[in-house]
Amino acid sequence: MAKEDTSPPFLSSVRALDAARVLVRFSEPMMTTAASLDGVALVDTTTGAALPILNISLVPSTLLEAQIVTALQHAGATYRMTLSGFRDLAGNPLASPQNSAVVSASAERDTTPPVFEVPGIVANAVNVPIDDSVFLSFSEPVRASPFEQTFVVFDTARTRVRGRLLWSSAMAVAFVPARPLSYGTSYRIKIDLDSLMDFSGNHWKDSSALVKFQTLDEGRVSSMKGSVIDEMPGGVGRVFLSAVNISEPQDKPRRLIMARPGEFTLEGMVEGRYAVSVFRDADSNGVFSAGLPFPHRSAERFALFPDTLKL
């Protein structure tokens, strides 16, 4: 039996990055859905006045840190920060007194423009799946509106790809195409850098960035079909299926969420050897929950297909 994580997270450190940002480090990765403005308080320890909070964003690469954008801090002031509603990936809450810390204000103004990355798509990447979203992460929280007005994805004929931008925080956004991309086609992501603006108004001037990538050639594409069978009567919860290409470790795992056991199909898969696993999310928290020895609680049921599948 695996042991479930029941240890509550705690604040590892808190420090002011500049006069309008505070960096918070946690002891373990945190849920993005639990981070909200209502759960952050910064209070001057001398006057008792609350400092307005403008944004909080977990750093998407690790979820171990969060950047908090504040109104201009008062030079020389000391603030007590208190967080509420935050939970780790196992659902354990950040609770008192480990949810509070003292931070000294910074007198330095933020003068550095934000920069971006496209995780999973390196320069001139090839074999990008046609049903992939394009994920972007930023070095600090950015304003959504200016960015959305100029962001564009287009193909070699300069035809714009229609889609929508979904923000998980002010430091991470996904471009979801309205329909799958075309096989074997080159695409460009264009970002006007003067539209990449942080909450202090910093941005690059009169320049743009292009990120090029190419989708999978249709001749290298395969699919996987199968069935998930639950032999336990009365089993509940959605079914989470994962297929990992062990021939190409850099490829992102393919994941599928099923409302119930039954037949499934994974299309547009790169050739390779795949390990397939599945678990049933009985507690509906979206992650695999291991068991507890005391008080006894069984792990969620899972299975690993005994052989690798060659596509």
Side-chain angles (χ1 to χ4, degrees):
M1 176 185 292
K3 184 177 180 181
E4 185 174 3
D5 175 16
T6 58
S7 301
F10 57 87
L11 289 179
S12 296
S13 64
V14 180
R15 66 181 177 90
L17 293 173
D18 51 57
R21 285 185 302 155
V22 174
L23 179 68
V24 177
R25 287 193 174 96
F26 300 97
S27 59
E28 55 185 299
M30 306 296 285
M31 288 184 180
T32 56
T33 54
S36 72
L37 289 179
D38 294 338
V40 184
L42 262 178
V43 177
D44 190 310
T45 57
T46 301
T47 67
L51 186 69
I53 306 297
L54 306 181
N55 181 268
I56 176 167
S57 296
L58 284 165
V59 177
S61 57
T62 67
L63 303 181
L64 283 167
E65 298 177 343
Q67 288 195 30
I68 297 173
V69 182
T70 71
L72 201 62
Q73 301 158 23
H74 299 288
T78 299
Y79 297 94
R80 174 163 291 279
M81 170 175 286
T82 304
L83 303 180
S84 59
F86 287 70
R87 294 179 178 273
D88 65 19
L89 298 183
N92 301 309
L94 182 69
S96 178
Q98 291 83 8
N99 66 333
S100 183
V102 172
V103 56
S104 298
S106 172
E108 295 184 8
R109 299 294 184 99
D110 178 16
T111 59
T112 305
V115 296
F116 74 94
E117 292 182 338
V118 188
I121 299 181
V122 297
N124 299 312
V126 296
N127 298 327
V128 174
I130 63 169
D131 56 354
D132 257 10
S133 298
V134 177
F135 294 93
L136 296 99
S137 62
F138 308 102
S139 58
E140 60 180 302
V142 301
R143 296 185 182 275
S145 181
F147 178 82
E148 291 179 349
Q149 291 174 17
T150 64
F151 175 87
V152 64
V153 178
F154 57 90
D155 61 19
T156 49
R158 300 196 66 84
T159 301
R160 182 169 182 168
V161 178
R162 300 296 175 183
R164 56 180 177 153
L165 290 167
L166 297 179
W167 295 83
S168 57
S169 76
M171 292 184 69
V173 65
F175 173 73
V176 184
R179 57 177 57 87
L181 304 177
S182 299
Y183 286 114
T185 302
S186 294
Y187 289 91
R188 306 287 187 272
I189 304 167
K190 180 176 179 291
I191 299 173
D192 288 343
L193 294 181
D194 58 359
S195 72
L196 196 58
M197 183 184 300
D198 65 19
F199 280 73
S200 296
N202 300 307
H203 61 86
W204 303 97
K205 294 179 174 62
D206 302 325
S207 60
S208 61
L210 281 178
V211 179
K212 305 176 183 179
F213 68 93
Q214 183 170 326
T215 54
L216 276 167
D217 183 81
E218 192 168 8
R220 291 197 62 203
V221 173
S222 187
S223 63
M224 180 186 298
K225 294 184 179 182
S227 296
V228 177
I229 300 171
D230 189 346
E231 297 180 341
M232 177 176 287
V236 297
R238 295 178 298 172
V239 174
F240 284 67
L241 183 143
S242 176
V244 178
N245 188 353
I246 59 178
S247 304
E248 302 288 345
Q250 72 277 8
D251 288 352
K252 291 188 298 185
R254 294 296 303 273
R255 292 189 170 91
L256 180 66
I257 302 176
M258 305 166 60
R260 61 188 63 82
E263 296 184 352
F264 68 88
T265 301
L266 289 174
E267 302 280 3
M269 301 186 69
V270 185
E271 59 189 18
R273 294 168 55 242
Y274 283 83
V276 181
S277 60
V278 65
F279 74 90
R280 191 149 197 194
D281 188 24
D283 60 8
S284 301
N285 69 349
V287 295
F288 175 74
S289 298
L292 279 174
F294 184 82
H296 176 75
R297 186 167 68 200
S298 298
E300 290 180 324
R301 289 173 300 120
F302 67 94
L304 177 67
F305 194 74
D307 299 316
T308 56
L309 299 177
K310 184 177 181 180
L311 300 181

